[in-house]
Amino acid sequence: MEFDNLKQLMVSDLIYLYDITNDMKYYNEIKERILFCGFNINMVDLLINFENEIISLKKEKYDKPVKEKHWIIGKKNNEHIFLNPDDYMYDPENINPKTLLLSETQVILDEAVFLTYSRKIMNYKAKDEIFNLSQENQDNWLFYEFKNRMEYLCRCADHIIDGPKQALYNEKTGIFYDNEMQICMSRWPVDISSRKFTPYTEEYFD
């Protein structure tokens, strides 16, 4: 299992490593990222607990960083990449082995973006679905899932049971999304980012 550079790991990787080792360096890295985005300190343990619950139900062995796994690339003959997206979304009443980790939602979206930069996308039967998966808007269920799950976690952390329907934590979630995605995009041999910055540093706000 190769988990070397903390700064190159996504938050789900850090949570998994903290769970199996109890090494505080992983916990501290998670905490630094969460606080950097302006989230409540309560969010740290809550996020860890939620992600660990999903990890515990997964059938696949967690043996490499999330961003080293491919969900779309190579599946040229698949009619669908995700036939039923609801199976992969977080439902507090029904967490199942298909439920995606938070970082997995970003990794898959990023993989779709990468493919849309390549002419090879035209060889994929599910190319229309892949184009949709690459969109950073509410019409893409992956993007919606990330935003919606973070909103739910934040409300749980702040003990907001009933509240306004509009997002309360959109700005903080956006900072978290951007910084985690910057880590994710570093896996490609070409630069597909719209801007360059070192994740979780003041460069992000420049």
Side-chain angles (χ1 to χ4, degrees), residues 176-188:
F176 186 55
Y177 177 89
D178 291 342
N179 281 274
E180 287 292 303
M181 190 59 87
Q182 192 76 352
I183 295 172
C184 185
M185 289 187 293
S186 68
R187 62 182 168 159
W188 304 118

Side-chain angles (χ1 to χ4, degrees), residues 71-187:
W71 293 77
I72 306 173
I73 291 174
K75 297 182 177 180
K76 295 180 181 179
N77 295 319
N78 287 34
E79 296 287 346
H80 300 279
I81 304 301
F82 296 99
L83 183 59
N84 186 4
D86 287 344
D87 290 342
Y88 300 88
M89 299 172 78
Y90 180 80
D91 178 355
E93 303 299 323
N94 183 32
I95 302 174
N96 65 75
K98 290 185 178 180
T99 302
L100 294 173
L101 293 167
L102 193 64
S103 295
E104 287 177 331
T105 64
Q106 290 189 278
V107 166
I108 299 165
L109 193 155
D110 174 59
E111 189 179 349
V113 171
F114 179 75
L115 265 179
T116 63
Y117 275 76
S118 169
R119 284 184 233 169
K120 293 180 180 179
I121 185 69
M122 302 311 295
N123 299 323
Y124 282 73
K125 287 185 178 180
K127 59 181 179 296
D128 290 341
E129 180 185 351
I130 296 169
F131 274 115
N132 288 336
L133 291 173
S134 72
Q135 302 303 303
E136 292 180 305
N137 58 47
Q138 298 297 320
D139 292 330
N140 176 5
W141 69 267
L142 279 170
F143 186 78
Y144 173 81
E145 171 66 4
F146 180 93
K147 293 277 190 171
N148 192 55
R149 194 183 302 184
M150 287 299 296
E151 180 74 16
Y152 175 74
L153 290 172
C154 288
R155 289 186 182 218
C156 288
D158 286 341
H159 307 290
I160 299 175
I161 307 302
D162 297 310
K165 291 185 178 180
Q166 70 267 27
L168 301 177
Y169 302 89
N170 202 41
E171 183 177 353
K172 295 172 184 177
T173 296
I175 296 172
F176 186 55
Y177 177 89
D178 291 342
N179 281 274
E180 287 292 303
M181 190 59 87
Q182 192 76 352
I183 295 172
C184 185
M185 289 187 293
S186 68
R187 62 182 168 159

